Amino acid sequence: MSKKASIGVTGLAVMGRNLARNLARHGHTVALHNRSEQRTRELVEQFGDEGDFIPTYSAQEFVDALDRPRQIVIMVKAGAPTDAVIEEFAPLLEPGDVIVDAGNAHFADTRRREAALRERGLHFVGTGVSGGEEGALHGPSIMPGGSKESYESLGPLFEDISAKVDGAPCCTHIGPDGAGHFVKMVHNGIEYADMQLIAESFDLLRGALGYEPAQIAEVFRTWNTGRLDSYLIEITAEVLAHTDAATGKPFVDIVTDQAEQKGTGRWTVQIGLDLGVPISGIAEAVFARSLSGSAGLRAASRGLPGPTRVPIADATGFADDVERALYASKIVAYAQGFNQIQAGGAEYGWDIDLGAVAKIWRGGCIIRAKFLDDVTAAFSAEPGLPTLLTSGDFRKAVEDAQDAWRSVVATAVKLGIPTPGFSTALAYYDALRAERLPAALVQGQRDYFGAHTYRRVDREGSFHTAWATPERAEHPA
């Protein structure tokens, strides 16, 4: 075969197909492979005029179609299917070749695979790709991990096909081994929190003001012209404005109120617990989806007593307060997510540039937003920033939101409107700024029942009180 491809894609479902088309549209010759030969033929038949494709119908033919160093992008389901594809192709490759996993793999699996393939002289690059099927085709946000050496060859291709904001590609080398998939996991966790806060805003405007979905759509469209300008706010307005053709009812009213999830949000929370990072806003968003899906539990509890809802008289004022509360809670969600990336970097030896992460999230990905320009600026100005909440513009925004934020949460409680996202964000904020937390009492309790010891504020060391003795003597542990 005389003609060679610069990159190959195996796994031609929607995401893989669109990524291959994106590469071809940008002038790269792309080798194609799929377990089902029919998908390969269909791609070439339907989209062959978009660029140079080399269809192949066996693993060996696929590998032979690639220029050295060979670069193979795997787009299959995470877990065992990914391992199976790696084992199919790895024996056919040579030292220096690159395997890219662009699916939503768990970063721990990526670390394992990278180490194993490194032993065989191969580069393994776990790559987060955000933007859905449209992003894959028109320009996603791309988060590659792996070695610096592998990025030297892959980087130009990925930067070429990524989204662009102000001419800058939404792609950067995140860090070694599993860093790319870790950052993509946290991205998805933030996405969960962002979506939950937006959903709670909708519920507040409807439950407290009696607004119809079409009215709320207009509110969101207005918000999207200001500091909340984002893809998620934009599509929320579209969803709320949509009318179901079959019933004539608002679309949102004919959709079952049970939100599903694919697992990346749960991973974010689980790893947050492992790292000891308080990502309570992300956790509440995950639990809110779980609760929504607990149909039997909800049905059994529907008759429980609650307050009478009396509509709020000052509709415009309350809607403005919800906007302020949403923005403040959003800052908390992103602050928690970036803290988790910091903690992951420290734990696994990754030197992750948080400003660069925020910069590549400005376009292509699901959480793309005007807001991320300010996040990028904050971390660029202060790389060691402990939390976004202390950064100048964000600190000022949260300060300005104080009364509105607390009023919205109090109103929600008074009316019986569940706002776990808003409430948890505010509780996290108040806990951070507290001079003293009740954790001192918790430590006393732990020492009492389990002799777990405690530290004192006035001297060094750990101590234990002999609670069972009359004198309750304290002694160093």
Side-chain angles (χ1 to χ4, degrees), residues 370-391:
K370 178 181 178 182
F371 171 89
L372 283 158
D373 285 330
D374 296 330
V375 177
T376 303
F379 283 117
S380 298
E382 190 179 348
L385 183 67
T387 173
L388 284 174
L389 289 163
T390 62
S391 179

Side-chain angles (χ1 to χ4, degrees), residues 172-244:
T172 192
H173 183 228
I174 300 296
D177 55 75
H181 275 145
F182 185 94
V183 166
K184 175 56 162 57
M185 175 193 74
V186 176
H187 165 285
N188 286 20
I190 294 172
E191 177 186 306
Y192 273 58
D194 212 342
M195 292 172 70
Q196 176 64 24
L197 293 169
I198 292 170
E200 289 179 19
S201 300
F202 156 72
D203 206 22
L204 284 162
L205 295 176
R206 197 169 202 188
L209 300 181
Y211 281 7
E212 289 300 315
Q215 291 176 277
I216 302 172
E218 289 307 312
V219 172
F220 275 89
R221 286 192 176 115
T222 300
W223 289 354
N224 203 45
T225 63
R227 60 185 179 175
L228 285 171
D229 177 6
S230 67
Y231 174 70
L232 284 172
I233 293 288
E234 176 188 343
I235 67 168
T236 298
E238 292 296 311
V239 172
L240 290 174
H242 182 53
T243 300
D244 176 54

Side-chain angles (χ1 to χ4, degrees), residues 90-103:
L92 306 177
L93 300 177
E94 298 175 86
D97 289 349
V98 182
I99 298 177
V100 180
D101 176 10

Side-chain angles (χ1 to χ4, degrees), residues 111 158 199 216 227 249 266 346 365:
R111 299 189 80 208
F158 282 171
I216 302 172
R227 60 185 179 175
K249 295 179 179 179
R266 285 197 298 270
C365 69

Side-chain angles (χ1 to χ4, degrees), residues 170-448:
C170 292
C171 173
T172 192
H173 183 228
I174 300 296
D177 55 75
H181 275 145
F182 185 94
V183 166
K184 175 56 162 57
M185 175 193 74
V186 176
H187 165 285
N188 286 20
I190 294 172
E191 177 186 306
Y192 273 58
D194 212 342
M195 292 172 70
Q196 176 64 24
L197 293 169
I198 292 170
E200 289 179 19
S201 300
F202 156 72
D203 206 22
L204 284 162
L205 295 176
R206 197 169 202 188
L209 300 181
Y211 281 7
E212 289 300 315
Q215 291 176 277
I216 302 172
E218 289 307 312
V219 172
F220 275 89
R221 286 192 176 115
T222 300
W223 289 354
N224 203 45
T225 63
R227 60 185 179 175
L228 285 171
D229 177 6
S230 67
Y231 174 70
L232 284 172
I233 293 288
E234 176 188 343
I235 67 168
T236 298
E238 292 296 311
V239 172
L240 290 174
H242 182 53
T243 300
D244 176 54
T247 63
K249 295 179 179 179
F251 171 78
V252 74
D253 287 345
I254 59 93
V255 176
T256 305
D257 62 340
Q258 297 177 23
E260 297 180 1
Q261 51 187 310
K262 290 189 174 180
T264 49
R266 285 197 298 270
W267 292 350
T268 311
V269 176
Q270 289 162 354
I271 300 304
L273 290 170
D274 290 343
L275 294 171
V277 183
I279 51 168
S280 50
I282 296 171
E284 283 296 344
V286 173
F287 288 134
R289 292 198 190 188
S290 298
L291 190 151
S292 77
S294 301
L297 179 62
R298 291 176 61 198
S301 307
R302 201 147 285 142
L304 292 174
T308 300
R309 291 189 184 179
V310 179
I312 292 172
D314 183 9
T316 302
F318 184 73
D320 289 342
D321 283 351
V322 172
E323 189 273 346
R324 294 186 187 96
L326 172 57
Y327 191 71
S329 300
K330 181 185 179 81
I331 294 171
V332 168
Y334 280 71
Q336 291 181 355
F338 279 100
N339 283 156
Q340 184 169 13
I341 294 174
Q342 285 175 319
E347 176 70 17
Y348 302 111
W350 304 324
D351 183 17
I352 299 177
D353 183 338
L354 300 182
V357 170
K359 187 175 181 179
I360 67 168
W361 285 352
R362 295 181 306 156
C365 69
I366 303 302
I367 62 173
R368 60 186 184 266
K370 178 181 178 182
F371 171 89
L372 283 158
D373 285 330
D374 296 330
V375 177
T376 303
F379 283 117
S380 298
E382 190 179 348
L385 183 67
T387 173
L388 284 174
L389 289 163
T390 62
S391 179
D393 288 343
F394 294 121
R395 179 179 180 137
K396 180 67 165 58
V398 172
E399 180 182 353
D400 292 345
Q402 286 297 299
D403 291 345
W405 199 3
R406 297 178 192 283
S407 175
V408 165
V409 170
T411 300
V413 172
K414 184 177 180 181
L415 297 181
I417 299 172
T419 54
F422 282 148
S423 303
T424 298
L426 182 57
Y428 173 86
Y429 171 80
D430 282 338
L432 282 187
R433 67 181 192 82
E435 185 70 28
R436 292 272 294 170
L437 290 171
L441 177 57
V442 173
Q443 282 300 89
Q445 293 168 332
R446 294 179 73 246
D447 188 61
Y448 193 110

